[in-house]
């Protein structure tokens, strides 16, 4: 790898250091790499990624140049929803490792100058959580049932659910238990919603935050941060009535209620008990920038994901509007912008950009939009990857923090051809969301070597089948190729450290509607060509391009960074 990088002549000139270990603002401009633990690296060869596997790949992430990793859930779980059904918030799934492994891994990341963020899932536990089991045993009217949302059914014998609500992955949102009562689950029936009016639920999550913070965890990603608090009247509204209610008023019975911020104010106090303060980032699919800003407030979680770029087409006008809006929002709230193209819930961006545009297909609270935009037969893989590289280079030059998802540094495409018998995602089995394919296609274990069982993921077969074309994108192959996506990310992330001082940019006239051009305060310029016709670059030293220049011009679907 060193050899490949030296050929570029770029790394040697870099002086900027990684972010400081004790800097309280480290998160503002951090590059955060999301690890989906069961699909990253498998140390013991049982087909499931584990913490020792992650430990063995710390060097990959150090060389990549990320500032932090965010680990999706690694807690004990029956995997009804990929680990977002948590049995025990203060433990490690024995198939993934032990708390000792966690400590060793965290230490290794810290030694490498990389922060560690863990995923907190507060809206629901799993149905195997000791509290839910106790609630089932204790029966109706018990103290144990108050920690969840139990109701009697309708109909003569309570045989009808309390309401006709639909769960997020399809099917009903109320499930009946043997004694006749029903419980609420926004997601699968294995994910009962907590009752956040219950003081013990609140206390227990504070304990969980301290548990991980005491182990050296630097921050928390908060799952569906906009749910949690509910206001359920005796007479429940129907699904149609719920759908017709304003979700952005702070008073919807289930979504984005204003009171949820009282919880995060309490969490903030816990974060601030530590030095540097622990950080939070909300996953909150809310309707407006103003609603999102509440989650990002300094008195709350501090930061919230913006999924605006993620749902946009590869389109200059859309990108420009989104960036301008988000930077303005960050300026007003005092938080920093966040940028995301890919994560474990969406079709990988190399694939999205190789499919017909979404053309403004309506985005609604999180699920429908994830559709890739068309069938695989319409996929132009080369164009998709080319655009993904251009978009990523555009994003990595922006002020704010960038969230990357494992495998995107290899330019991986979505794996579409997974047979039903191998699929795991509940959304595949329970409904027609995610274009009927579910989310397994971005969760396939990543390739480390071009051969060997499971392409170096582990010594055995991977828990989701990997396609033969993974060989071309394996880390060892890309490491040796100076033009690979991996080496593009490495160079970009190393250079990015020089950009991080000031959180602003200035738009410059590009002369074309399909070309964006901006300048950062250190004088660097960034040009992205969203169209097909090559475009001339401004005078200056070209630092990096996502595709080779043609006769000195920036070709279509490409980005260039210049010292102008
Ligand atoms: C959002 C997570 O990212 C997703 O993977 C999960 O299915 C839901 N929340 C429910 O926890
Ligand atoms: Ca394993």
């Amino acid at each position: 790898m060193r050899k490949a990088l030296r050929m570029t002549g770029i790394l040697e000139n870099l002086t900027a250091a990684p972010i400081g270990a004790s800097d309280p603002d480290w998160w503002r401009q951090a590059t955060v790499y999301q690890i989906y633990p069961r699909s990253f690296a498998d140390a013991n060869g049982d087909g499931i990624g584990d913490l020792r596997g992650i430990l063995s790949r710390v060097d990959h992430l150090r060389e990549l140049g990320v500032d932090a990793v965010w680990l999706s859930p690694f807690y004990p779980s029956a995997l009804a929803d990929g680990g977002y059904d948590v049995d025990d918030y203060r433990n490690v799934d024995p198939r993934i490792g032990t708390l000792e492994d966690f400590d060793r891994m965290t230490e290794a990341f810290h030694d490498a100058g990389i922060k560690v963020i863990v995923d907190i899932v507060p809206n629901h536990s799993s149905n195997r959580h000791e509290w839910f089991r106790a609630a089932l045993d204790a029966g109706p009217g018990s103290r144990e049932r108050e920690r969840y949302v139990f109701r009697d059914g309708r109909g003569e014998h309570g045989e009808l659910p309390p309401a006709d609500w639909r769960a997020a992955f399809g099917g009903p949102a109320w499930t009946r238990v043997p004694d006749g009562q029903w419980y609420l689950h926004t997601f699968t029936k294995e994910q009962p919603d907590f009752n956040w009016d219950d003081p013990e639920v609140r206390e227990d999550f504070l304990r969980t935050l301290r548990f991980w913070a005491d182990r050296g965890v630097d921050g928390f990603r908060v799952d569906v941060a906009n749910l949690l608090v509910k206001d359920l009247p005796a007479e429940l509204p129907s699904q149609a009535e719920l759908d017709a209610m304003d979700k952005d008023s702070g008073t919807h019975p289930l979504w984005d209620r204003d009171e949820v911020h009282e919880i995060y104010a309490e969490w903030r106090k816990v974060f601030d008990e530590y030095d540097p303060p622990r950080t939070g980032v909300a996953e909150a699919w809310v309707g407006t920038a103003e609603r999102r800003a509440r989650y990002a407030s300094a008195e709350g979680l501090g930061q919230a994901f913006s999924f605006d770029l993620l749902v946009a087409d590869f389109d200059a006008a859309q990108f420009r509007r989104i960036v301008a809006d988000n930077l303005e929002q960050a300026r007003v709230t005092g938080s920093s912008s966040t940028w995301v193209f890919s994560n474990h819930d969406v079709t990988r961006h190399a694939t999205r950009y190789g499919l017909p545009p979404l053309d403004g297909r309506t985005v609604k609270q999180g699920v429908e939009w994830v559709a890739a935009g068309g069938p695989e037969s319409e996929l132009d893989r080369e164009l998709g990857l080319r655009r993904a590289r251009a978009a990523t280079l555009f994003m990595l030059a922006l002020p704010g923090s960038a969230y990357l998802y494992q495998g995107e540094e290899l330019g991986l495409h979505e794996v579409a051809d997974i047979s039903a018998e191998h699929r795991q995602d509940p959304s595949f089995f329970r409904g027609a969301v995610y274009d009927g394919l579910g989310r397994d296609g971005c969760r396939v274990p990543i390739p480390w070597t071009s051969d060997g069982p499971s392409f170096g993921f582990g010594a055995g077969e991977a828990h989701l089948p990997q396609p033969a074309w993974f060989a071309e994108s394996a880390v060892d192959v890309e490491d040796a190729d100076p033009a690979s996506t991996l080496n593009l990310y490495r160079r970009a992330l190393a250079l990015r450290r020089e950009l991080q001082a000031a959180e602003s940019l200035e738009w410059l006239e590009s002369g074309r509607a399909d070309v964006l051009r901006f300048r950062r305060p250190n004088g660097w310029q960034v040009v992205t060509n969203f169209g097909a016709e090559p475009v001339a670059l401004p005078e200056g030293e070209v630092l990096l391009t996502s595709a080779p220049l043609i006769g000195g011009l920036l070709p279509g679907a490409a980005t260039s960074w210049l010292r102008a």
Side-chain angles (χ1 to χ4, degrees), residues 117-201:
I117 295 172
V118 299
D119 215 312
I120 296 292
V121 190
N123 179 67
H124 43 266
S125 69
S126 84
N127 59 347
R128 309 196 316 170
H129 190 285
E130 60 167 329
W131 278 0
F132 192 73
R133 290 198 306 228
L136 290 189
D137 290 348
S142 62
R143 158 80 202 111
E144 285 81 352
R145 288 214 171 169
E146 286 170 22
R147 299 186 187 116
Y148 294 91
V149 185
F150 278 89
R151 280 277 172 113
D152 292 328
R154 291 169 302 151
E156 204 180 330
H157 309 288
E159 71 282 7
L160 296 173
D164 65 344
W165 301 352
R166 311 293 300 164
F169 300 137
W174 292 89
T175 288
R176 199 170 197 196
V177 302
D179 58 49
Q181 272 207 315
W182 299 73
Y183 66 91
L184 174 67
H185 51 91
T186 304
F187 296 90
T188 70
K189 68 178 185 342
E190 292 85 2
Q191 292 164 291
D193 281 36
F194 279 120
N195 168 18
W196 273 88
D197 289 335
D198 188 77
E200 230 183 317
V201 169

Side-chain angles (χ1 to χ4, degrees), residues 120-403:
I120 296 292
V121 190
N123 179 67
H124 43 266
S125 69
S126 84
N127 59 347
R128 309 196 316 170
H129 190 285
E130 60 167 329
W131 278 0
F132 192 73
R133 290 198 306 228
L136 290 189
D137 290 348
S142 62
R143 158 80 202 111
E144 285 81 352
R145 288 214 171 169
E146 286 170 22
R147 299 186 187 116
Y148 294 91
V149 185
F150 278 89
R151 280 277 172 113
D152 292 328
R154 291 169 302 151
E156 204 180 330
H157 309 288
E159 71 282 7
L160 296 173
D164 65 344
W165 301 352
R166 311 293 300 164
F169 300 137
W174 292 89
T175 288
R176 199 170 197 196
V177 302
D179 58 49
Q181 272 207 315
W182 299 73
Y183 66 91
L184 174 67
H185 51 91
T186 304
F187 296 90
T188 70
K189 68 178 185 342
E190 292 85 2
Q191 292 164 291
D193 281 36
F194 279 120
N195 168 18
W196 273 88
D197 289 335
D198 188 77
E200 230 183 317
V201 169
R202 293 189 182 224
E203 264 317 301
D204 198 62
F205 272 92
L206 299 182
R207 202 177 142 206
T208 295
L209 296 174
R210 288 197 180 95
F211 178 87
W212 294 108
D214 288 345
R215 297 195 102 86
V217 159
D218 303 281
F220 301 94
R221 177 265 189 190
V222 183
D223 190 67
V224 284
N226 52 321
L227 295 183
L228 283 64
V229 177
K230 283 134 196 147
D231 183 26
L232 303 183
E235 190 70 29
L236 296 176
S238 67
Q239 182 69 57
E241 285 165 337
L242 274 186
D243 291 344
M245 289 177 192
D246 184 0
K247 280 188 168 158
D248 304 326
S249 65
T251 58
H252 188 280
L254 304 171
W255 287 85
D256 190 23
R257 291 186 61 78
D258 287 341
E259 301 92 308
V260 78
H261 299 292
E262 292 163 16
I263 296 171
Y264 301 131
E266 275 191 276
W267 290 21
R268 170 52 57 186
K269 287 193 195 123
V270 173
F271 295 172
D272 288 349
E273 288 166 9
Y274 295 85
D275 182 23
R278 296 334 191 208
T279 65
V281 57
E283 186 222 20
W285 282 92
V286 291
T288 66
E290 193 273 323
R291 298 300 305 174
R292 183 164 74 226
R294 295 167 182 246
Y295 294 86
S297 93
E299 294 75 43
L301 293 173
Q303 204 180 45
F305 287 124
S306 161
F307 296 116
D308 300 347
L309 272 185
L310 189 155
V311 299
D313 289 315
F314 184 73
D315 175 90
Q318 290 184 42
F319 271 48
R320 174 158 180 170
R321 182 185 45 75
I322 289 166
V323 170
D325 287 355
N326 277 268
L327 291 180
E328 175 57 13
Q329 197 193 331
R331 197 187 61 75
V332 172
T333 61
S335 184
S336 71
S337 297
T338 55
W339 312 109
V340 191
F341 282 125
S342 281
N343 63 34
H344 66 296
D345 287 332
V346 304
T347 304
R348 285 187 178 278
H349 64 292
T351 302
R352 292 202 310 269
Y353 294 151
L355 287 165
L358 290 166
D359 269 336
R361 189 190 309 193
T362 341
V363 171
K364 278 199 193 149
Q365 302 289 6
V367 269
E368 289 141 34
W369 54 269
V370 208
E376 215 193 359
S377 55
E378 287 180 39
L379 174 63
D380 182 337
R381 299 175 78 89
E382 210 178 307
L383 179 65
L385 177 55
R386 206 184 149 82
R387 287 176 168 170
R389 289 166 56 116
T392 297
L393 223 53
F394 175 90
M395 163 176 102
L396 290 176
L398 295 172
S401 53
Y403 286 83

Side-chain angles (χ1 to χ4, degrees), residues 507-548:
W507 295 106
L508 301 172
E509 192 44 62
S510 77
R512 259 175 51 182
D514 57 0
V515 175
L516 293 183
R517 182 174 157 208
F518 63 83
R519 180 168 36 219
R520 293 295 307 272
N522 67 347
W524 288 11
Q525 285 196 30
V526 175
V527 182
T528 298
N529 184 353
F530 290 83
E533 288 304 310
V535 64
L537 288 171
E539 287 289 308
E541 177 199 353
V542 174
L543 297 169
L544 195 57
T545 57
S546 66

Side-chain angles (χ1 to χ4, degrees), residues 41-51 95-96 457:
D42 170 21
N44 65 357
D46 66 355
I48 299 166
D50 44 48
L51 298 184
R95 288 168 297 185
I96 291 190
F457 165 68

